[in-house]
Amino acid sequence: MAREDIRTFQLEKLRKLLRRVYDNVPFYRIRCDEAGLDPGNIQGLEDIRKLPFTTSDDLRLNYPYGLLAVSRDEVVRLHTSSGTTGKPKALFFSKGDIERSANLIARCLTMTGTGKGDVLQNMMTYGLFTGALVMHYGAEKVGALVIPAGPGNTDRQIALMQDFETTAFHITPSYALYLASVLQKKGIDPGKDLNLRRAYLGAESYSEETRKKIEYLFGIDVYNSYGLTEMNGPGVAFECTQKNGMHIWEDHFLAEIINPDTGEVLSDGQKGELVITSLRREAMPLIRYRTRDITQMITDVCECGRTHRRISRILGRSDDMFVVKGVNIFPQQIEQVLMGVTGVAQNYQIVLESYDTLIVKVEMSKELFDGNIEHLVKLQSQISEKIRAELIVKPKVELLEPGTLPVSEGKAKRVIDNRTM
Ligand code: AMP
Ligand code: ZN
């Protein structure tokens, strides 16, 4: 579709959406009335800016059924997303929502070459999380053989890969790094001994360096997959084979980038928080939902020819950002440095002890942990210097034996904040 046609399509969906929520969701009806927005008189996509943002607090305050736009018996599935405090957020799917989310995943998989004949090992958590189930339905839709492995039990994962000749897998970046280290330990060379071709990595932010490292360790293509429960789960934005930003599926999602502090809408190319309106969700559409994810819109035409705009790799969540010595830092900036240093293994942790101390604990590769103190001291100052060059803040680096830090199967907890406010 030409850009203009996409916008026309979005406007038509937006009009219908606002009408629907006005008639069915008291929360949004009040908001429209307060903003003086008549859903029967939407002139352009920008009209949406008259409405305030929907936040995760709004979801909690209306928990569990308050934001439903259909009657309860139209709803066929519940997913939740855990917040940091209190009640989880409850999100509902109608039959149509399940169908549309599977279609979006099917689009993503087809775009990256997965289809009939592929064996997709799904190592995300099944259950209340969307990650595994939504991918599962989409992968079945394209005719792949889906192995609902879930995360963990790494020996069994490897046996499944061997026995069923897995070609593609869906995994968090932190678990992929761990899986690679177990394969190494077992003397299995994925490039020679397994049939893997590509992996889909999402659910947590990771750097380009980590992608490259995982591609190298497994001998595969890695594609970035972005989504959140509030917007179906995975399949909101996805990388094409250009691997240069994720196409956000604008026929389903209306995206804005805002300044997270002021709420001001930013122009294309400026870094800020992604705000999404789910144009086509039936059971529980959300308007101007604040994702908390920091990214930017890439507008130049993608080499692949698709006209959906792209968002850049997620830099982090605005609530993940921490401040040391007055400098704003995202964990991913540290990860990016670590992944570029030879001898550094897959696992690391950031510990904040006081206003001005940043501690970076990082596991070493087995070969480098050779007991030669001189080597270690050199490496330690090399890492510390590289991080200082990136962040201005000089960290205290602790080198650890492989296997010392906790291993994550789901979303990794990278930052331990021991500071008392
Ligand atoms: P959940 O709703 O529990 O599945 O979590 C969704 C959140 O996970 C998003 O808002 C992002 O913060 C994070 N996330 C998901 N996919 C990615 C990705 N590809 N890169 C970075 N963060 C991601
Ligand atoms: Zn593309």
Side-chain angles (χ1 to χ4, degrees), residues 83-104:
T84 36
T85 49
K87 288 277 187 205
K89 292 166 265 178
L91 276 298
F92 300 95
F93 289 63
S94 67
K95 276 192 178 152
D97 290 333
I98 291 194
E99 180 67 13
R100 276 181 294 274
S101 63
N103 280 338
L104 281 174

Side-chain angles (χ1 to χ4, degrees), residues 44-334:
L45 290 172
E46 284 71 26
D47 282 357
I48 201 177
R49 296 184 189 173
K50 294 179 185 155
L51 286 174
F53 301 112
T54 304
T55 65
S56 54
D57 281 342
D58 294 324
L59 261 63
R60 290 203 185 87
L61 288 170
N62 289 283
Y63 179 91
Y65 290 115
L67 292 177
L68 272 189
V70 295
S71 66
R72 276 196 21 202
D73 55 10
E74 293 296 314
V75 164
V76 296
R77 194 195 286 172
L78 161 73
H79 279 292
T80 66
S81 171
S82 52
T84 36
T85 49
K87 288 277 187 205
K89 292 166 265 178
L91 276 298
F92 300 95
F93 289 63
S94 67
K95 276 192 178 152
D97 290 333
I98 291 194
E99 180 67 13
R100 276 181 294 274
S101 63
N103 280 338
L104 281 174
I105 293 291
R107 184 190 291 181
C108 301
L109 295 178
T110 305
M111 171 170 77
T112 49
T114 295
K116 210 172 164 62
D118 273 295
V119 179
L120 185 134
Q121 194 161 325
N122 195 358
M123 302 189 210
M124 291 286 188
T125 308
Y126 279 81
L128 285 167
F129 284 111
T130 45
L133 268 175
V134 170
M135 173 61 76
H136 186 114
Y137 277 51
E140 284 184 348
K141 191 141 220 165
V142 296
L145 164 59
V146 188
I147 306 180
N153 199 341
T154 307
D155 286 347
R156 191 184 63 185
Q157 300 284 6
I158 295 169
L160 289 168
M161 288 181 158
Q162 289 169 323
D163 295 351
F164 302 102
E165 298 173 7
T166 300
T167 58
F169 56 110
H170 180 214
I171 192 167
T172 61
S174 45
Y175 190 46
L177 288 167
Y178 178 70
L179 177 62
S181 73
V182 176
L183 284 167
Q184 259 168 354
K185 222 183 293 166
K186 288 179 177 288
I188 298 171
D189 176 354
K192 283 206 222 95
D193 306 331
L194 300 174
N195 203 26
L196 304 172
R197 298 201 189 114
R198 63 195 83 87
Y200 302 108
L201 267 66
E204 52 190 30
S205 69
Y206 59 110
S207 62
E208 185 58 31
E209 281 67 18
T210 298
R211 178 236 293 277
K212 293 212 177 91
K213 184 155 189 165
I214 294 171
E215 289 194 321
Y216 168 77
L217 290 168
F218 287 94
I220 55 169
D221 284 307
V222 164
Y223 298 105
N224 198 1
S225 152
Y226 171 78
L228 61 161
T229 313
E230 294 86 327
M231 299 290 144
N232 299 338
V236 174
F238 218 85
E239 270 177 347
C240 65
T241 50
Q242 297 296 320
K243 300 181 190 169
N244 183 18
M246 298 178 277
H247 288 283
I248 182 156
W249 300 129
E250 291 177 284
D251 51 337
H252 287 254
F253 304 104
L254 178 62
E256 301 168 88
I257 304 282
I258 63 159
N259 175 328
D261 299 323
T262 63
E264 172 207 357
V265 178
L266 301 177
S267 43
D268 287 341
Q270 284 185 290
K271 212 171 274 172
E273 178 180 336
L274 178 64
V275 168
I276 308 179
T277 298
S278 46
L279 294 170
R280 316 263 296 265
R281 293 201 92 239
E282 190 174 39
M284 193 171 160
L286 296 175
I287 293 171
R288 304 195 88 197
Y289 184 70
R290 289 190 64 159
T291 65
R292 294 276 163 203
D293 295 320
I294 304 294
T295 182
Q296 76 208 90
M297 202 57 85
I298 307 171
T299 45
D300 47 329
V301 180
C302 186
E303 295 275 323
C304 77
R306 287 179 186 81
T307 47
H308 296 270
R309 290 181 300 172
R310 285 164 290 156
I311 53 170
S312 70
R313 185 175 285 285
I314 307 291
L315 186 59
R317 295 178 55 80
S318 58
D319 34 18
D320 276 353
M321 195 192 74
F322 55 89
V323 182
V324 176
K325 286 190 180 166
V327 178
N328 294 347
I329 301 172
F330 284 102
Q332 198 187 116
Q333 293 175 282
I334 294 178

